Amino acid sequence: MDIAVFDRTELPVVISALRTVALANGSVSETERQLFEIIAQLHGVTLDLDALADVPADTLRSTIATPHRRKRLVQLAVVTSMVDGDPTPAQEEAVRTLATALEIDERSLRVLHHLTADHRLLVRFDVARRLTGGIFKTAYEEEGLAGVGRVLGPLLLGGGEDPEVAWRYRELGLLPAGTLGRVYWEHCTRRHFGFPGEKGGIPERLVFHDFGHVLSGYDTDAEGEIQQGAFQAGFIRQDGFAVLCFVLVHFHLGIRITPIAQAERGLFDPQRVLRALARGAACRVDLSDRWNFWEVVGLPLEEVRARYGIPPLAPLVDGASAGRAAAPVA
């Protein structure tokens, strides 16, 4: 999911449209203002938010002309509606009006509706289905029902034992210090995380998430997980927004989606989360899509980061360049 997709002429229109969503609940909060500022920074632009004029629907359509940019604008509007906590019906209506004007059918509008109606169970179902749909589809296409079982077993049943697979991951601890594989082994061992093949260990198809923590440098506490989720949303080329929506709902709105982590409220920091998203979008590899990490586990971690184009964890100096992915992504 790329984030810096608009040009300089489009950005004032984009921020104005997002401000309309924010104003639907009465005012633009400081957190919403920070969100708009970081979006502008990631495009290399500085805007006077108070000087922006409202944009008519026909101007919006003519300015934001491509479907990809229109979709990203609607998705950013969904994020805007969640920034201050629980979205209001007025904000939902503002997002729907925007989506209609741009002729975009965004799946997260269904989640937004359930949020405003306080249908928490339906929120959990819709977010989880979108989040895991691609994983189960790929598992079924490649391995049939057995592949789906190898994902569900460790997650729901505490099973998934495969000694041969487990030993392959444990042996990563024998690699030289500082290599990707060794740091991954240390990451999991220090936290008592089960390896694939161990009882209750993470399924192999999801191990890219822990490798992603290592590559990104984000911790596994709640604050780290929301940033890691944004980083993951960035590098995923097909529907990365599903992951961003998940972490916002789980770690900011307090609705538990996964049994692995406790839900939290109020953890969305626009600067940290969107910079994490930009770092993920800059990654040249979609780690979730058949990434063969075994080819690079013996390389120094910093060499892998450089090879993949992952910007440093320090605050971005050139936000515009760091936010652009290597290729168009969804």
Side-chain angles (χ1 to χ4, degrees):
M1 175 184 174
D2 44 4
I3 180 67
V5 300
F6 307 103
D7 63 35
R8 289 174 176 267
T9 62
E10 294 171 329
L11 203 63
V13 173
V14 168
I15 301 301
S16 178
L18 298 180
R19 187 185 62 176
T20 298
V21 174
L23 284 170
N25 70 352
S27 64
V28 177
S29 69
E30 180 59 31
T31 307
E32 289 167 335
R33 183 176 290 271
Q34 291 173 11
L35 173 68
F36 304 152
E37 289 173 349
I38 185 60
I39 291 172
Q41 289 171 19
L42 290 173
H43 287 80
V45 174
T46 301
L47 293 176
D48 182 353
L49 301 180
D50 298 319
L52 295 177
D54 293 338
V55 179
D58 56 346
T59 302
L60 185 65
R61 284 191 295 268
S62 62
T63 304
I64 314 299
T66 66
H68 179 65
R69 296 180 183 186
R70 287 183 173 188
K71 180 174 74 169
R72 191 64 76 241
L73 173 52
V74 172
Q75 290 173 338
L76 288 173
V78 173
V79 173
T80 300
S81 73
M82 298 180 182
V83 164
D84 285 338
D86 300 323
T88 65
Q91 286 179 308
E92 180 200 352
E93 182 60 30
V95 176
R96 287 191 178 276
T97 299
L98 175 63
T100 299
L102 294 177
E103 301 178 322
I104 292 297
D105 183 15
E106 167 54 40
R107 293 168 61 187
S108 58
L109 292 179
R110 180 182 176 90
V111 173
L112 185 57
H113 174 71
H114 292 324
L115 284 169
T116 58
D118 199 26
H119 296 156
R120 297 171 70 90
L121 185 60
L122 292 176
V123 171
R124 295 176 64 186
F125 176 76
D126 281 346
V127 173
R129 180 176 59 177
R130 184 173 179 181
L131 183 67
T132 61
I135 295 171
F136 290 135
K137 179 182 178 182
T138 302
Y140 182 78
E141 290 174 347
E142 294 182 354
E143 302 180 71
L145 291 176
V148 175
R150 276 189 273 275
V151 178
L152 285 176
L155 292 177
L156 302 180
L157 306 176
E161 297 97 326
D162 188 325
E164 184 175 345
V165 170
W167 275 114
R168 192 179 188 194
Y169 284 90
R170 292 171 189 154
E171 287 173 345
L172 292 174
L174 301 176
L175 290 172
T179 58
L180 173 63
R182 173 65 176 271
V183 178
Y184 161 78
W185 179 88
E186 293 169 350
H187 167 88
C188 294
T189 302
R190 287 172 179 163
R191 294 166 174 80
H192 295 183
F193 290 169
F195 291 113
E198 295 180 340
K199 184 176 182 179
I202 189 171
E204 270 202 286
R205 289 187 181 273
L206 301 181
V207 76
F208 72 87
H209 176 78
D210 285 326
F211 272 105
H213 270 288
V214 173
L215 288 167
S216 68
Y218 299 121
D219 206 343
T220 56
D221 57 5
E223 290 82 359
E225 287 292 358
I226 194 172
Q227 293 177 80
Q228 176 59 26
F231 178 80
Q232 187 167 314
F235 68 65
I236 289 178
R237 300 304 194 247
Q238 294 295 325
D239 198 20
F241 189 67
V243 182
L244 185 62
C245 188
F246 154 65
V247 294
L248 284 170
V249 170
H250 189 98
F251 293 107
H252 184 60
L253 301 185
I255 299 177
R256 191 171 187 176
I257 306 299
T258 171
I260 299 174
Q262 291 292 330
E264 303 283 350
R265 289 192 66 90
L267 294 187
F268 179 74
D269 181 314
Q271 287 277 342
R272 292 182 179 181
V273 173
L274 263 68
R275 289 195 182 279
L277 178 63
R279 292 181 72 219
C283 183
R284 301 187 184 102
V285 178
D286 183 346
L287 307 180
S288 72
D289 186 17
R290 300 175 177 86
W291 171 49
N292 186 3
F293 49 84
W294 295 107
E295 294 180 343
V296 293
V297 290
L299 298 179
L301 173 58
E302 292 303 326
E303 181 178 332
V304 179
R305 285 172 173 162
R307 176 182 294 194
Y308 291 171
I310 299 173
L313 185 57
L316 302 179
V317 176
D318 182 1
S321 63
R324 297 187 185 276
V329 295

